[in-house]
Amino acid sequence: MIQQNEKESLQTASNLVTSPKVWFITGASRGFGRIWAEAALERGDRVAATARKLESIADLNEKYGQNVLTLELDVTRPEQAKAAVEQAHAHFGRLDIVLNNAGYSLVGTIEEASADDIRALYETNVIGTVSVIQAALPLLRKQGSGHILGTSSNLGHVTLPVIGYYASSKWAFEAIHESLAEEVKPFGINVTIIEPGAYATEFGSPESLKFAQGLDIYAAFKAQFFQELKELDRGDPAATPKALFQIVDAPQPPLRFFLGSHNLSGVRTAYAQRLATWEAWEDVSNSAQG
């Protein structure tokens, strides 16, 4: 028999699921950001949708009216991130979900990419994300609630050649969010890292890719790599909102969540190989303890 306090907990969870939520989403002009912003609005939530170019999301105003607030935001400008987060909070009265989705991939081998290429990638994928989080945290703490989500990748666990710097930015992204989750738990704030596999989004478009200056010696290797990428089984991005909503509506959301059906098997293999290597060298490792 369900006790009274259990009934109250179930009722609270039910209210959390059905109450409209307020989202703040970066990179809402295309890809997952656009799909998730529209899906949230379609289900009756309210969304502060941001993009580097305001005109790229202006149509959301016509379609969703007062439920959407469109804001210009270049996440590499911390002062703009702070202003956008504060404006969204003031406009809607609260923020329930802060979703960092803005990012791009640097294409090039480790030798090819310049220091400027790498810095620019991290300015957006890592430091830009942190700027939004740091702007939101004082507001979420004051509320005593909130859910920070970040779009990472299955490449936050495994790497591929030619996009190693992109993968490295996601490894940093994952570490930051894992530390963050422990730091903000006492304030009633949840953290979830969304880790998509390959999807048929605009992520391969010129806006989402930057190419390092190539060296001829890698031309054949990269051509083969790009051909293999074309043959990947890509998921349907339109199938993702339902899963995302289950995460944000859960009373106890997970820290990490794979998006798509192909990620777990690859990560299992990668971690099994790592464990096997560590274990094979365990005696040598132990001998260095002193």
Side-chain angles (χ1 to χ4, degrees):
M1 185 174 179
I2 298 177
Q3 301 298 316
Q4 182 61 35
N5 61 342
E6 291 176 322
K7 288 182 179 179
E8 291 174 357
S9 296
L10 288 170
Q11 183 61 49
T12 300
S14 176
N15 290 339
L16 285 171
V17 171
T18 57
S19 299
K21 290 181 166 60
V22 179
W23 300 62
F24 182 93
I25 303 177
T26 70
S29 63
R30 54 184 169 79
F32 286 129
R34 178 71 177 217
I35 290 166
W36 295 340
E38 292 211 60
L41 288 161
E42 289 289 344
R43 79 167 191 160
D45 289 350
R46 292 173 287 175
V47 175
T50 75
R52 292 183 66 185
K53 296 179 181 179
L54 198 56
E55 60 267 26
S56 67
I57 52 175
D59 60 302
L60 294 175
N61 293 307
E62 300 173 9
K63 191 172 181 180
Y64 298 104
Q66 64 182 5
N67 282 343
V68 67
L69 173 68
T70 55
L71 298 168
E72 184 175 303
L73 172 56
D74 178 347
V75 297
T76 65
R77 296 175 58 189
E79 74 286 354
Q80 196 176 48
K82 187 174 188 297
V85 168
E86 290 177 351
Q87 185 177 346
H89 186 272
H91 182 82
F92 289 120
R94 71 177 196 274
L95 293 176
D96 300 307
I97 301 161
V98 176
L99 171 53
N100 273 299
N101 180 71
Y104 70 91
S105 180
L106 174 61
V107 180
T109 65
I110 300 303
E111 184 178 3
E112 289 173 324
S114 70
D116 287 342
D117 290 333
I118 302 163
R119 287 191 193 98
L121 178 75
Y122 271 70
E123 284 287 344
T124 296
N125 291 11
V126 179
I127 299 174
T129 292
V130 171
S131 293
V132 173
I133 291 171
Q134 290 180 340
L137 279 177
L139 302 172
L140 301 184
R141 277 201 307 273
K142 189 174 181 179
Q143 292 177 176
S145 66
H147 194 172
I148 296 172
L149 288 90
T151 305
S152 181
S153 169
N154 65 330
L155 295 175
H157 298 283
V158 297
T159 61
L160 292 174
V162 184
I163 51 176
Y165 285 115
Y166 171 72
S168 77
S169 74
K170 292 306 182 184
W171 285 46
F173 188 99
E174 298 257 344
I176 287 166
H177 282 77
E178 185 168 336
S179 291
L180 175 69
E182 291 300 312
E183 294 163 358
V184 300
K185 189 185 298 182
F187 306 117
I189 301 169
N190 294 311
V191 177
T192 298
I193 309 165
I194 306 298
E195 301 163 327
Y199 274 85
T201 68
E202 299 96 328
F203 192 69
S205 68
E207 287 186 344
S208 61
L209 296 178
K210 291 189 179 179
F211 289 83
Q213 186 172 355
L215 297 173
D216 290 342
I217 194 169
Y218 293 111
F221 180 85
K222 289 193 293 185
Q224 181 180 352
F225 172 75
F226 293 141
Q227 183 58 42
E228 291 172 357
L229 283 187
K230 289 179 183 179
E231 296 170 1
L232 285 177
D233 180 16
R234 298 180 183 274
D236 178 5
T240 63
K242 183 178 179 181
L244 182 68
F245 294 152
Q246 288 182 260
I247 297 299
V248 301
D249 290 338
Q252 294 181 318
L255 172 61
R256 287 185 168 87
F257 176 70
F258 277 142
L259 205 60
S261 60
H262 300 321
N263 299 350
L264 189 54
S265 60
V267 169
R268 279 195 183 112
T269 299
Y271 275 90
Q273 291 171 346
R274 291 172 194 175
L275 285 167
T277 299
W278 286 322
E279 289 168 355
W281 287 87
E282 184 178 11
D283 290 344
V284 179
S285 298
N286 292 345
S287 71
Q289 180 67 25

